[in-house]
Amino acid sequence: MKWKGRRGSENVDDRRSQGGKSFSSGSIKGFSLKGGIGLLVVAGVIWLMGGNPLQVLEMIGGVGQSNTSNYSQTYTPTAEEDEMAEFVSVVLADTEEVWEAAFKQMGRTYRKPTLVLFTGYTTSACGSAQSSTGPFYCSLDEKVYIDLSFFQQMENQLRAGGDFAYAYVIAHEVGHHVQKLLGTLDQAHQQMANTSQKNANKISVALELQADFYAGYWAHHTERMFGSLEADDIEEALNAANAIGDDRLQEQAQGHSVPDSFTHGTSKQRHDWFYKGYRTGDLSQGNSFAGY
Ligand SMILES: [Zn+2]
């Protein structure tokens, strides 16, 4: 992706230097499918506060590795990390442009989300987050939370590296923000709270696939607006979508997959919905809820 020298977003809240100690998560075996104990911590906190734990399910898909490394208060980013932060800021700016135009066409106004960069541990309106939580969107404060180390995990553990793979992750989370603004997210959460676990999982999958579709839609329009895509970019994104399918992650974690427990969709579904958004660039094609 061509991004160097391009405009960055003003809506990045860089908390990396605040560090924050990542508290020890203990054993996370068995929890890996939803992004590690971090999610459970977040969900638990929300539940304790009388909120809806489902609100934190909008994650990209869990890598679910234990990350208990300690970060000191004197965190100094490497040149590489700073470059990555700059990249994230440009991608966020690109999502602002694309979604502002899309909302305008709908006769609406796009409210830009904030993207919080953190290292190790931070807090959100949805509860506390740590690296092992994985990137997520909190609908209560309308912020996307990302620890840049997730991108390294994508490359090292999932073999899903590449700048456009990371851009896909950001665009997916922004996709949940779009769902929030359009009312889809709250509606889905209400339905999820009033149905069986099995059906709630299906609704969750539909939400995730639509966020993948929105990421593809963004890729389509960012290319049109900025001509920013390079030869292998779409391949990188499709490869990442494939790598974080529930079936793939479950098979890696436990040797088999349990379809009823899927919350994000299979590799093929994630791949296909991203590609559909990219191919059509047409929001009316993005109803992943049909049939649920
Ligand atoms: Zn998601």
Side-chain angles (χ1 to χ4, degrees):
M1 176 181 164
K2 295 175 204 140
W3 65 272
K4 284 193 178 160
R6 295 183 46 220
R7 182 181 81 84
S9 171
E10 293 161 357
N11 300 300
V12 175
D13 176 3
D14 190 347
R15 299 183 190 167
R16 288 176 300 156
S17 60
Q18 295 166 23
K21 277 204 168 176
S22 165
F23 49 82
S24 171
S25 61
S27 168
I28 65 156
K29 286 201 180 86
F31 296 115
S32 60
L33 303 175
K34 285 182 182 170
I37 196 90
L39 175 67
L40 299 180
V41 171
V42 174
V45 169
I46 287 170
W47 183 76
L48 286 172
M49 294 187 324
N52 177 5
L54 298 175
Q55 236 136 11
V56 291
L57 287 176
E58 296 76 49
M59 303 183 353
I60 189 73
V63 170
Q65 59 114 236
S66 173
N67 187 342
T68 55
S69 47
N70 291 323
Y71 292 89
S72 72
Q73 295 295 330
T74 54
Y75 166 81
T76 325
T78 62
E80 204 182 358
E81 284 167 337
D82 271 342
E83 184 174 70
M84 189 56 91
E86 214 184 307
F87 166 77
V88 168
S89 168
V90 172
V91 172
L92 184 65
D94 280 8
T95 64
E96 290 166 354
E97 304 269 357
V98 166
W99 286 112
E100 257 179 345
F103 272 61
K104 209 169 171 186
Q105 271 190 348
M106 289 185 261
R108 290 169 175 257
T109 309
Y110 181 63
R111 196 163 61 234
K112 297 170 187 171
T114 297
L115 189 150
V116 178
L117 285 179
F118 70 99
T119 307
Y121 172 81
T122 195
T123 52
S124 79
C126 297
S128 60
Q130 52 183 316
S131 314
S132 55
T133 311
F136 69 100
Y137 171 71
C138 173
S139 61
L140 298 178
D141 56 20
E142 300 191 355
K143 293 179 183 176
V144 171
Y145 292 81
I146 294 181
D147 184 320
L148 294 178
S149 65
F150 181 77
F151 296 143
Q152 273 173 341
Q153 288 179 37
M154 282 176 69
E155 185 172 4
N156 299 336
Q157 295 175 27
L158 301 175
R159 309 243 175 277
D163 59 7
F164 214 73
Y166 311 144
Y168 153 63
V169 170
I170 298 160
H172 172 100
E173 296 306 337
V174 170
H176 287 307
H177 177 64
V178 170
Q179 291 174 324
K180 162 77 191 275
L181 296 184
L182 295 179
T184 322
L185 202 53
D186 287 342
Q187 208 186 342
H189 283 152
Q190 256 172 17
Q191 288 171 351
M192 287 165 81
N194 293 306
T195 188
S196 67
Q197 184 63 50
K198 193 174 152 183
N199 282 335
N201 287 348
K202 281 187 179 172
I203 297 167
S204 170
V205 167
L207 274 175
E208 294 303 328
L209 296 179
Q210 191 177 55
D212 285 338
F213 173 86
Y214 285 161
Y217 172 88
W218 166 76
H220 176 102
H221 289 280
T222 201
E223 165 65 3
R224 280 198 158 182
M225 282 183 178
F226 306 110
S228 51
L229 267 60
E230 293 176 313
D232 296 333
D233 280 346
I234 293 302
E235 277 308 308
E236 281 174 8
L238 291 171
N239 177 47
N242 248 321
I244 55 180
D246 286 323
D247 50 345
R248 178 84 69 91
L249 291 174
Q250 287 191 5
E251 272 155 27
Q252 276 169 5
Q254 63 198 29
H256 64 278
S257 63
V258 185
D260 280 348
S261 71
F262 291 172
T263 54
H264 289 73
T266 64
S267 290
K268 183 173 175 359
Q269 285 175 318
R270 301 200 70 165
H271 172 284
D272 291 355
W273 278 97
F274 175 89
Y275 193 66
K276 192 178 184 191
Y278 172 68
R279 190 172 42 81
T280 65
D282 175 5
L283 283 181
S284 72
Q285 304 288 315
N287 183 11
S288 56
F289 291 85
Y292 289 127

